[in-house]
Amino acid sequence: MSKVATIEIDGEKYEFPVVEGTENELGIDIKKLRAEAGVITLDRGYKNTGSCESAITFLNGEEGILRYRGYSIEALAEKADFLEVAYLLIFGELPTKTQLDKFYADIKEESTVDEEMKKILDGFPKSAHPMGVLSSLTSALIAFNPSSVNVDSAEDMYKAIVKILGKFPVLAAWTLRKKNSLPLNYGDDSLGYVENLHKMMFEKPGKSYKVDKEVIDALDKLLILHADHEQNCSTSTVRMVGSSHAGLFASISAGISALWGPLHGGANQAVIEMLERIKEDGGDTKKFMAKAKDKEDPFRLMGFGHRVYKNFDPRAKIIKKSADEVLAQLGVDDPVLDIAKGLEKEALEDQYFVDRKLYPNVDFYSGIIYRALGIPVEMFTVMFALGRLPGWIAQWREMRLMKEPIGRPRQIYTGANLREFKEVEKR
Ligand code: ACO
């Protein structure tokens, strides 16, 4: 029998259906609450609000479980490649070889951007943060691809998806090339998606391009680990913007802006900056632990804590192991890795962190690998965006296919009551 929730307000009882997910999660469907009882729910930061039903990613924060379309993140990180995972997230099943080949061929077909886009990039100062540039360029793409906005048929939708998957790595690579004063380039269609991205980012004019397999494998794994994370801040932004039918590229551009902040994707940059600061300061991790616990001090231990995980972030476990391996394979000796490990150990034993269930999140170790791979700190969050792109697309597509209504939360108004307007001379 289906479950029912009863809410009592001023002695009056109201019944609401309880929705059950495939992993037995329960949610009270309150859409008729205001119409029947005249009240709304209030939930700052949506800490306890489900905004949709979704079949893409399952996350159990108490047990530290993460699955894409039913496959564990551990299995995907070990066995799949990024493009396979992208296909899985977007279309729901792992692709056959033929499906994957076609998908990649279609993406490659769309991997050039209009030459005029170079003028837009040229207008940015070199000091601009790559996330701001990337968000703007993604939005600018709409002007050159207007057919990506009205996606009324499955074919239109597919076209918009392969277009953004093809053009986004070019734009991401160009933001770096602009910073490094390198000529804007295109990749090589004979390479895989991730290797091609790497080539576009790092190839130097006049030099033959070579990269270690370990570097591409590590990058591929990092992108997979970031590929989706259900209804986080940037994904909810993508769905919210997309719910007005603004178009896929506009929704992704908004998602990039949401991801930029240090409380979200920007944490990977903030972690390295914090670890560097601790190193410069003499490496006294205890001093910074005390600062993190001091409520008068705005300092937070970046890369620690998560809205949903109240246990180890499973991605952090994989990345920590990967950081050790990659640094050893590349022969990199990074002292901040030792500071990070020391900080992690202290935090995991500290009552403040234990009481609040604060564990390392995905970003605690990712920056260390990015740095070992030669990616500059300001590009870390761009790497996150590249990884998250399939997740954003999958969530946007699901939202459109399920014909979700426009997102429009309510509020409890706490401002002034009706006041009489006074002319400026009388105020
Ligand atoms: N360092 C010190 N204290 C912390 C930290 C931290 N990193 N994170 C949370 N706390 C404390 C808070 O001060 C609060 O303490 P209180 O109960 O005494 O007031 C308690 O833990 C709960 O924290 P909230 O901020 O209420 O938790 P919320 O779910 O809103 O925030 C967040 C989660 C934003 C991730 C937070 O833990 C944080 O700021 N972490 C650092 C930034 C970071 O690493 N972000 C990346 C997240 S992963 C991602 O987006 C990909």
Side-chain angles (χ1 to χ4, degrees):
M1 238 195 35
S2 48
K3 297 186 174 73
V4 169
T6 307
I7 297 178
E8 188 172 334
I9 303 167
D10 286 341
E12 200 80 44
K13 287 186 179 165
Y14 306 90
E15 286 196 340
F16 300 94
V18 174
V19 180
E20 186 162 357
T22 46
E23 291 286 344
N24 311 113
E25 292 170 303
L26 302 175
I28 306 170
D29 179 352
I30 50 97
K31 69 174 163 293
K32 293 197 177 138
L33 180 63
R34 187 168 180 276
E36 292 182 5
V39 299
I40 62 164
T41 54
L42 184 62
D43 182 16
R44 291 177 68 224
Y46 310 118
K47 290 197 175 194
N48 199 40
T49 294
S51 59
C52 60
E53 289 170 61
S54 176
I56 301 170
T57 289
F58 172 65
L59 198 173
N60 180 327
E62 282 72 30
E63 292 178 31
I65 295 173
L66 174 63
R67 293 181 204 142
Y68 299 161
R69 301 279 190 184
Y71 296 97
S72 79
I73 191 66
E74 291 81 8
L76 292 170
E78 197 193 323
K79 296 179 183 152
D81 73 26
F82 178 62
L83 211 60
E84 271 182 294
V85 170
Y87 187 99
L88 170 72
L89 283 167
I90 298 168
F91 302 112
E93 295 296 338
L94 283 167
T96 61
K97 177 85 176 67
T98 315
Q99 285 169 328
L100 190 60
D101 288 348
K102 179 180 182 318
F103 186 47
Y104 192 29
D106 293 340
I107 291 171
K108 284 193 276 199
E109 197 58 37
E110 291 294 347
S111 62
T112 48
V113 297
D114 195 291
E115 276 295 290
E116 299 285 320
M117 288 287 291
K118 290 184 177 170
K119 291 190 194 151
I120 300 175
L121 179 64
D122 205 35
F124 284 96
K126 255 195 206 152
S127 57
H129 194 287
M131 284 297 273
V133 178
L134 188 61
S135 172
S136 307
L137 292 181
T138 305
S139 193
L141 269 184
I142 305 164
F144 301 98
N145 299 273
S147 65
S148 65
V149 178
N150 293 318
V151 287
D152 295 329
S153 68
E155 199 193 333
D156 290 346
M157 193 174 265
Y158 181 78
K159 276 213 181 108
I161 290 171
V162 291
K163 268 182 198 239
I164 195 73
L165 281 165
K167 297 175 201 312
F168 196 71
V170 179
L171 300 183
W174 283 3
T175 60
L176 175 63
R177 296 189 78 81
K178 155 117 192 174
K179 263 203 150 344
N180 291 344
S181 302
L182 288 170
L184 303 184
N185 63 345
Y186 276 108
D188 173 350
D189 271 5
S190 67
L191 301 177
Y193 190 80
V194 175
E195 189 172 354
N196 198 27
L197 163 69
H198 190 271
K199 179 181 195 295
M200 287 193 284
M201 287 170 78
F202 294 109
E203 183 187 36
K204 299 251 165 62
K207 302 238 163 40
S208 67
Y209 168 80
K210 267 202 215 95
V211 63
D212 292 339
K213 186 179 175 301
E214 287 82 16
V215 170
I216 300 304
D217 289 350
L219 203 51
D220 201 280
K221 192 178 281 193
L222 278 169
L223 295 176
I224 292 174
L225 293 176
H226 286 89
D228 195 47
H229 213 232
E230 51 118 302
Q231 309 312 318
N232 55 81
C233 177
S234 57
T235 303
S236 300
T237 301
V238 168
R239 287 184 83 125
M240 175 69 96
V241 173
S243 77
S244 77
H245 295 195
L248 176 61
F249 300 179
S251 308
I252 302 281
S253 166
I256 297 166
S257 298
L259 187 72
W260 189 357
L263 297 189
H264 190 15
N268 54 17
Q269 175 175 344
V271 169
I272 282 288
E273 287 166 353
M274 173 189 78
L275 294 173
E276 280 293 346
R277 191 174 148 204
I278 298 175
K279 193 181 93 185
E280 309 280 279
D281 199 65
D284 184 358
T285 46
K286 292 209 164 49
K287 178 174 154 191
F288 285 85
M289 285 289 289
K291 276 167 76 63
K293 294 188 284 182
D294 179 359
K295 295 287 165 201
E296 302 302 312
D297 191 326
F299 177 80
R300 277 191 168 199
L301 203 55
M302 299 314 287
F304 257 78
H306 196 275
R307 170 60 62 79
V308 187
Y309 290 119
K310 302 303 168 198
N311 198 326
F312 250 97
D313 180 337
R315 302 166 301 173
K317 276 193 200 166
I318 301 173
I319 289 189
K320 182 182 178 183
K321 190 165 163 274
S322 200
D324 277 330
E325 286 166 7
V326 171
L327 266 62
Q329 277 162 356
L330 301 180
V332 177
D333 181 21
D334 191 341
V336 304
L337 181 62
D338 295 329
I339 295 180
K341 283 184 178 167
L343 214 48
E344 177 189 331
K345 187 166 180 298
E346 276 175 47
L348 291 176
E349 289 164 1
D350 190 289
Q351 208 50 46
Y352 173 97
F353 285 83
V354 172
D355 288 348
R356 290 166 183 76
K357 298 191 168 72
L358 301 170
Y359 290 85
N361 60 49
V362 66
D363 287 326
F364 193 65
Y365 286 104
S366 64
I368 294 172
I369 308 188
Y370 287 138
R371 206 154 73 152
L373 299 181
I375 295 167
V377 176
E378 277 197 333
M379 283 296 285
F380 288 2
T381 318
V382 169
M383 301 315 293
F384 192 152
L386 281 156
R388 185 55 55 89
L389 182 65
W392 286 335
I393 295 171
Q395 299 274 350
W396 168 86
R397 179 175 177 269
E398 179 181 68
M399 185 261 320
R400 288 298 297 265
L401 292 180
M402 287 179 77
K403 302 203 182 327
E404 293 278 328
I406 187 166
R408 203 309 187 180
R410 286 189 176 264
Q411 62 164 20
I412 297 291
Y413 174 69
T414 60
N417 296 114
L418 181 63
R419 302 196 261 182
E420 210 169 303
F421 179 83
K422 284 193 189 123
E423 309 304 328
V424 70
E425 314 73 57
K426 295 185 189 158
R427 281 174 219 157

